[in-house]
């Protein structure tokens, strides 16, 4: 018999064949042991035991509890017979990268020390550029302590690792005694892994915490894997990244949260056909990694193709909300809410990436770091990226609404279409366009993506298209900056508040009048101070759009409801 529920069948020729099994893991069961068969009355004690023996089609039901282990998949399933790990009930199973530490010794008025040699040996020093790359973490009753570099820097709420003395020092809030608290120290560098030998695994309802992973590594880390489904899971308080997918394919991540991690919520390197639905990446980069390198909510890099973020939330990160960098082509960012990200290049940042559909998103209150380039802190930022379709977005109360920018690279931001959006109440400019994209291109050498219609015409004409957008700012500040630091000076370069003048000058220079149908008006949001950017019934944005490939709004309502689509992320009912 195989596992808790083991069935057999007789094939056409009478040959018996073992079928899918269901295994039970229950760390709190009085009879739990990894020497058991994994039945309800004799369950396994660890998830790793089940992961070591499962076969295609098997299910592992993990009962509520805290599991302090790192799970490595040994084999995978098939499209018809995935291997399923199910937390029962959903959200009750916590896989932790920490261990509980007891027997603290008092060495000062409020400082306590732990000198377990085994533990100190597992607290690793990460080889890196500066202190932010260290991997130690300490939690007191579930709350993190702040690490300091030297003992003399200690104060209430901090810890220090003496690598030479192999000791851990803590100073708890309110000078508390750690022997009267639950003290947890991160020691595991990964919590769940899989690769090309372990396809088609479904992971449902698990929580992951306290991973001691390094930068650019995930608490859940999958490499060359494919066919996985992650559903209703969460990763919090990882030292590095919550979820990392390296060169993975055909995956779905649904209703998962990757919050409060040290560097990133989600990291993707290369890959194909990855879909993130109804997920969240918030309060990440709590350790303070460089936001110009890799930090914030999400970063997708290294020539990935067809990565989709649908109805995603990314808020209160230190860094960009969603960032695609040298990330290939054919992506979709639809129906997302990106807000209150600080030290951010942008809410949505597209860098040297092509053919992205950016639609029905709301980007608000995203701000750049002090001293950063003035084009940063944008709701949407396109950097040296082309053939993106920017439709029906609402960008409000950012440093800038939308910026299309160049940085001296041999890549032009060309062929982008910016239509049916609202850019309002942004502090500096509603739209900034900074580089040679406002010229006709001559001597085009960059290879155009295969999906571009009539590439010869695009290469000849180059033009980005801005039209049917609504602009608004309080006072007399210019709405549009057209041609910035990288523009050598052309007749249409300047700052504009009058869209008629803007259309006339751009038309005279390039033969294409930008914003010929643009609007300057207060969009009349319902309650922007509370993040409600729906349109009031008397909004001037109603029925002012043109048809695009986007047929619904951010809530799934059909477009148009009236004679024409509404501008921005919402369609007025």
């Amino acid at each position: 018999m195989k596992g808790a529920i083991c069935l057999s069948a007789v094939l056409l020729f009478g040959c018996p064949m073992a079928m899918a099994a269901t295994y039970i893991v229950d760390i709190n069961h009085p009879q739990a042991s990894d020497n058991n068969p994994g039945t309800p009355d004799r369950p396994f004690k660890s998830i790793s035991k089940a992961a070591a023996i499962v076969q295609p089609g098997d299910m592992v039901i993990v009962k509520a509890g805290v599991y302090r282990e790192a799970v490595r998949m040994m084999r995978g399933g098939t499209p018809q017979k995935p291997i399923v790990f199910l937390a029962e009930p959903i959200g009750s199973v916590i896989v932790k990268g920490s261990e509980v530490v007891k027997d603290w010794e008092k060495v000062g008025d409020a400082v306590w020390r732990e000198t377990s040699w085994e533990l100190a040996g597992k607290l690793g020093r990460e080889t890196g550029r500066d202190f932010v790359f260290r991997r130690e973490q300490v939690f007191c009753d579930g709350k993190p302590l702040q690490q300091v570099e030297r003992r003399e820097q200690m104060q209430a709420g901090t810890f220090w690792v003496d690598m030479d003395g192999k000791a851990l020092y803590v100073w708890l809030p309110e000078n508390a005694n750690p022997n009267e608290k639950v003290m947890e120290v991160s020691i595991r560098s990964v919590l769940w892994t899989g690769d090309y030998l372990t396809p088609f695994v479904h992971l449902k309802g698990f929580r992951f915490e306290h991973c001691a992973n390094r930068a650019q590594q995930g608490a859940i880390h999958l490499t060359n894997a494919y066919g996985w489904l992650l559903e209703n899971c969460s990763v919090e308080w990882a030292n590095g990244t919550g979820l990392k997918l390296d060169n993975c394919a055909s995956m779905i991540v649904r209703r998962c949260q990757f919050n409060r991690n040290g560097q990133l919520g989600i990291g993707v390197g290369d890959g194909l056909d990855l879909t993130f639905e109804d997920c969240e990446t918030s309060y990440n980069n709590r350790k303070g990694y460089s936001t110009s390198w890799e930090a914030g909510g999400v970063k997708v890099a290294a020539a990935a193709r067809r990565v989709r973020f649908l109805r995603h939330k990314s808020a209160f990160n230190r860094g960009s909300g969603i960032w695609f960098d040298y990330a290939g082509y054919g992506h979709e960012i639809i129906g997302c809410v990106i807000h209150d990200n600080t030290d951010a290049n942008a809410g949505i940042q597209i860098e040297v990436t092509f053919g992205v559909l950016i639609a029905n998103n709301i980007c608000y209150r995203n701000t750049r770091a002090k001293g950063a380039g003035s084009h940063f802190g944008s709701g949407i930022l396109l950097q040296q990226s082309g053939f993106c379709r920017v439709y029906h977005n609402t960008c409000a109360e950012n440093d800038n609404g939308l910026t299309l920018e160049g940085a001296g690279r041999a890549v032009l931001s060309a062929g982008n279409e910016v239509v049916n959006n609202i850019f309002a109440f942004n502090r500096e400019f509603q739209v900034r366009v900074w580089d040679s994209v406002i010229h006709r291109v001559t001597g085009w050498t960059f290879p155009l993506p295969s999906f571009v219609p009539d590439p010869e015409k695009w290469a000849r004409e180059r033009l980005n298209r801005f039209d049917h957008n609504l602009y608004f700012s309080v006072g007399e500040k210019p709405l549009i900056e057209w041609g910035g630091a990288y523009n050598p000076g052309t007749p249409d370069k300047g700052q504009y508040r009058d869209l008629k003048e803007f259309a006339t000058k751009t038309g005279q220079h390039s033969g294409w009048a930008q914003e010929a149908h643009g609007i300057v008006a207060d969009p009349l949001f319902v309650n922007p101070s509370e993040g409600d950017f729906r349109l009031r019934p008397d909004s001037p944005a109603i029925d002012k759009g043109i048809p695009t490939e986007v047929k619904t709004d951010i809530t799934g309502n059909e477009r148009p409801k009236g004679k024409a689509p509404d501008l921005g992320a919402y369609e007025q009912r």
Side-chain angles (χ1 to χ4, degrees), residues 343 368-376:
D343 293 2
R368 62 175 174 265
K370 183 178 180 180
S374 60
H375 54 285
F376 289 143

Side-chain angles (χ1 to χ4, degrees), residues 181-321:
K181 303 288 184 178
V182 177
M183 301 296 298
E184 297 171 286
V185 178
S186 297
I187 64 170
R188 296 178 184 87
S189 60
V190 69
L191 300 183
W192 201 294
T193 60
D195 56 28
Y196 71 98
L197 296 174
T198 62
F200 300 104
V201 174
H202 294 183
L203 192 58
K204 301 183 178 184
F206 289 80
R207 294 164 57 190
F208 299 86
E209 296 178 357
H210 299 178
C211 189
N213 49 333
R214 63 181 177 85
Q216 297 186 308
Q217 298 294 309
I220 303 175
H221 198 114
L222 307 179
T223 303
N224 301 320
Y226 57 95
W228 280 56
L229 168 67
L230 274 65
E231 191 171 72
N232 297 319
C233 293
S234 69
V235 181
E236 291 192 313
W237 305 115
N239 182 73
T241 296
L243 170 67
K244 185 63 181 288
L245 304 180
D246 278 329
N247 196 31
C248 295
S250 302
M251 289 192 174
I252 297 174
V253 182
R254 180 183 296 136
R255 296 190 299 276
C256 294
Q257 292 79 44
F258 306 96
N259 300 334
R260 299 177 180 85
N261 297 296
Q263 183 191 15
L264 278 170
I266 296 171
V268 176
D270 208 335
L272 172 68
D273 284 328
L274 308 175
T275 299
F276 299 84
E277 300 176 348
D278 302 297
C279 294
E280 180 180 0
T281 50
S282 296
Y283 301 98
N284 294 295
N285 193 23
R286 58 186 177 82
K287 290 196 67 178
Y289 288 90
S290 170
T291 59
S292 63
W293 173 55
E294 184 167 323
V298 174
K299 187 167 185 182
V300 179
R305 290 148 291 163
R306 298 197 296 276
V307 178
R308 306 170 189 89
F309 283 88
L310 310 178
R311 302 174 300 279
H312 189 86
K313 178 182 178 181
S314 194
F316 300 103
N317 298 288
R318 184 175 177 182
S320 294

Side-chain angles (χ1 to χ4, degrees), residues 15 25 31 52 84 87-88 104 117 123 130 138 198 210 237 250 289 436 450 456 460 503 505 517 553:
C15 178
V25 180
Q31 303 300 320
V84 178
E88 188 179 87
W104 294 83
W117 301 114
L123 288 170
D130 49 38
V138 179
T198 62
H210 299 178
W237 305 115
S250 302
Y289 288 90
S436 58
S450 60
E456 291 300 323
R460 187 168 60 252
K505 286 194 174 182
H517 306 92
D553 75 352

